[in-house]
Every structure is written in C-alpha cells, then in structure tokens.
Amino acid sequence: KNKNGFRAAAILSSIEIIKRRTFFGTGPFAWKYFISKNKDLLIIFPPKTFLHSHCHNDILQIIVEFGIIFFVGFLLLLFLSFKNILSKIKVENKFAGILSLSIFLFFLLGGLTDFLFGHPLVGPYYGFFLGIFAFKE
C-alpha cells in the first residue's frame, strides 16, 4: 500500500518527472504511463494505488505532460486573461468583469486540486473561457 496517499504520491512523482523531463514533458496523457515505466517512481507511487490517470493539479500536470516551455505559454495566457478581466472591471462593465473574474478564479483555484484543464467535460469550458478572456472585444 502507498504510505503517502494518492495526492501526496502524485505530487512527489510529478516533481520527479519534472526534474527529468523539464523542457518537453512526457507528452499528452502520459503521466501514469511514465510512472509505470520507471521503477524508482513506482517506489513513490505503486501501481496498485493508482486511482486516476492524472495528478489532480493543473500546474503539475501541464508541466509534466508538456514541459516548461508550454507551461510558460499557459501562464502568459492566464496573465493576459487576468489583465483583461481587471480592465473590464475598471473601465467597462463591472458586472461582466466580476462575473468573468469569478469564472476565472473558479477554474484557477479548482485546478489546484484537480486536472480541470484536461478534464473531458470541464476542460473545453476552461479553454473556451480563457479564449474569451484573453482577447479584448
């Protein structure tokens, strides 16, 4: 049995993967596969304790699968979206800006405890709203 628990093991193994594959990551949907193919990671995260195929954290999952280069682009998209939302609150429509900020924070904070960006039902909405927020009308 995994003495760390699923989430702790997911974080620890993700950090180890990032150390090895910093720039380009493992590739999409390869987090669990990469762990299963590396014996030292299996000590942290025995395969019998795998409950999910992702590490339940948008930040770690994106860096692990796509590397730091893609992650920097993702951060720029988040920054641009946040900047545009603040501009909307200050200058344009306060209600729409506050609603946009609420949606943005929902996805951002929710992504700290789950892989929302890659979720088959939630992920498309995340991407849709980021696309809307990132570009001014």
Side-chain angles (χ1 to χ4, degrees):
K1 186 171 168 133
N2 182 2
K3 66 180 179 180
N4 293 318
F6 175 79
R7 289 188 191 260
I11 291 168
L12 293 171
S13 57
S14 295
I15 290 169
E16 285 302 315
I17 294 170
I18 291 167
K19 288 178 185 176
R20 296 175 197 185
R21 313 267 313 179
T22 305
F23 294 105
F24 300 108
T26 62
F29 311 109
W31 178 78
K32 185 175 181 178
Y33 177 79
F34 192 86
I35 292 170
S36 68
K37 295 299 176 193
N38 288 274
K39 292 180 183 182
D40 59 322
L41 294 177
L42 290 174
I43 294 168
I44 298 171
F45 210 149
K48 292 180 182 177
T49 63
F50 274 105
L51 303 174
H52 303 279
S53 60
H54 56 274
C55 70
H56 278 69
N57 184 304
D58 276 338
I59 294 168
L60 288 175
Q61 192 75 31
I62 291 170
I63 296 172
V64 164
E65 289 187 351
F66 299 101
I68 200 78
I69 296 169
F70 181 90
F71 183 68
V72 167
F74 182 72
L75 285 179
L76 288 173
L77 181 63
L78 291 176
F79 175 76
L80 183 61
S81 297
F82 186 68
K83 182 179 155 213
N84 288 341
I85 290 169
L86 289 181
S87 159
K88 185 178 286 285
I89 291 171
K90 289 178 185 175
V91 179
E92 299 171 30
N93 184 338
K94 281 195 185 287
F95 176 76
I98 291 170
L99 181 62
S100 297
L101 182 62
S102 299
I103 293 168
F104 179 78
L105 290 175
F106 167 80
F107 285 119
L108 196 63
L109 296 175
L112 296 176
T113 60
D114 204 350
F115 183 38
L116 295 184
F117 197 70
H119 191 280
L121 299 175
V122 181
Y125 292 105
Y126 196 163
F128 172 77
F129 282 113
L130 277 181
I132 288 174
F133 300 153
F135 300 100
K136 285 193 170 196
E137 299 163 357

